[in-house]
């Protein structure tokens, strides 16, 4: 019987959420973090092993400053918790209990989902760490029932064991995503669907159902500030190619602009989108 579900990952900035996700789900998933894949929240990473699939939901880092803004962030975090089957609350034991933790605790007190708490950075050894951990432990008593884990996301200590415990508590449910779907593939799929949608909306009367998109590359490493996306629009006939390109390229520019704007929202970064149109006879066959 398969188990799968959503786990809301919460914790203030710099507790090690990204590091932990990279550890659990493999490298190169940071880019996924801005993609709204669920109704209200963003998926941070998908972990699939044996009969378990855990989908981690990202929540915005909670800041104690900037009060009005804080409220919005809190609402988003609450949304992730609401949508999730359980909560993974990450603590940084190298830093003392802070106001942000109060905010998170208040939020967690209001709901009844299983809560796992991970004390992260146990590889750091000094007196403050012991003292901080004791204070965290004391404060967490305010929550009805929590499972505790002592981990180092950076040094890969106790992470596998924790994930096993998380999986054990997920509901019995068929996998939410194909089990061979790596986060990279998920990303490519989302990018190609975004481009295809914009193309279809722009020319739907002239070319119904005949546009396919093939993403050649998503490069977020060459320039960390800009995501470069290279994609081909595939059509079946020469005449359709003409329609997609438009007069003097105007249609392609229009599609590219719409797609780029949406992709920038997804990535939370500037996007450079390079689109080409290609005729590929019979692309529907074998797909
Ligand atoms: P996020 O803001 O919660 O996503 O935190 P990051 O994953 O970006 O980590 C913040 C900092 O903490 C980085 O410098 C990480 O290298 C460091 N860090 C994360 N996990 C650990 C850990 O287990 N031990 C130590 N010593 N540092 C860690
Ligand atoms: Mg991060």
């Amino acid at each position: 019987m398969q188990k799968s579900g959503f786990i809301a990952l919460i914790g203030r900035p710099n507790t090690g959420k990204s590091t932990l996700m990279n550890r659990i789900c493999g490298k190169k998933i940071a880019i996924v973090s801005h993609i709204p894949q669920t109704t209200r929240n963003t998926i941070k990473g998908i972990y699939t092993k044996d009969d378990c699939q855990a989908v981690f939901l990202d929540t915005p880092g909670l800041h104690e400053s900037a009060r009005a803004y804080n409220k919005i962030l809190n609402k988003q975090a609450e949304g992730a918790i609401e949508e999730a089957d359980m909560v993974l609350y990450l603590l940084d034991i190298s830093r003392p209990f802070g106001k942000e933790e109060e905010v998170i605790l208040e939020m967690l007190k209001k709901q009844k989902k299983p809560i796992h708490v991970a004390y992260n950075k146990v590889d750091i050894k000094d007196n403050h760490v012991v003292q901080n951990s004791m204070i965290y432990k004391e404060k967490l008593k305010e929550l009805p029932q929590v499972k505790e884990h002592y981990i180092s996301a950076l040094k890969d200590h106790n992470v596998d064991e924790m994930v096993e415990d998380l999986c054990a508590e997920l509901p019995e449910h068929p996998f939410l995503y194909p089990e061979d779907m790596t986060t990279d593939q998920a990303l490519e799929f989302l990018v190609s669907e975004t481009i295809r949608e914009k193309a279809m909306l722009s020319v739907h009367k002239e070319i119904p159902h005949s546009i396919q998109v093939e993403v050649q590359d998503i490069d977020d490493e060459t320039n960390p500030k800009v995501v470069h996306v290279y994609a081909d629009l595939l059509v079946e006939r020469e005449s359709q190619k003409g329609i997609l390109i438009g007069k003097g390229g105007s249609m392609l520019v229009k599609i590219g602009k719409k797609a780029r704007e949406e992709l920038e929202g997804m990535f939370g970064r500037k996007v450079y989108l390079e689109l080409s149109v290609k005729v590929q006879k019979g692309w529907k066959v074998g797909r």
Side-chain angles (χ1 to χ4, degrees), residues 12-20 44 90 120-124 151-155:
R12 63 179 160 176
N14 288 314
T15 48
K17 296 185 296 297
S18 301
T19 310
L20 181 64
K44 188 97 171 150
L90 200 61
N120 190 31
K121 311 196 185 182
V122 295
D123 56 290
I124 300 174
I151 66 164
S152 169
L154 192 66
K155 304 279 179 208

Side-chain angles (χ1 to χ4, degrees), residues 9 22 34 55 63 89 109 122 143 156 161 186 225 273:
L9 181 64
N22 285 337
H34 296 284
V55 183
H63 296 264
Y89 176 18
K109 271 191 229 166
V122 295
L143 295 176
D156 199 9
E161 289 83 348
K225 292 202 177 104
L273 175 61

Side-chain angles (χ1 to χ4, degrees), residues 50-66:
D50 301 330
D51 282 339
C52 168
Q53 184 170 72
V55 183
F56 291 89
L57 296 179
D58 196 9
T59 62
L62 292 150
H63 296 264
E64 54 169 315
S65 56

Side-chain angles (χ1 to χ4, degrees), residues 210-214 216 230-242 244-245 252 274-283:
S210 295
I211 304 166
Q212 183 72 317
V213 175
E214 215 165 77
Q216 299 301 341
Y230 302 89
D232 294 337
L233 291 162
L234 305 180
V235 288
E236 289 178 296
R237 284 192 293 276
E238 210 53 52
S239 61
Q240 296 171 332
K241 181 177 170 178
L244 265 187
I245 292 173
L252 199 57
E274 193 169 308
L275 290 178
S276 342
V277 183
K278 289 183 181 162
V279 178
Q280 199 172 78
K281 288 195 175 68
W283 59 256

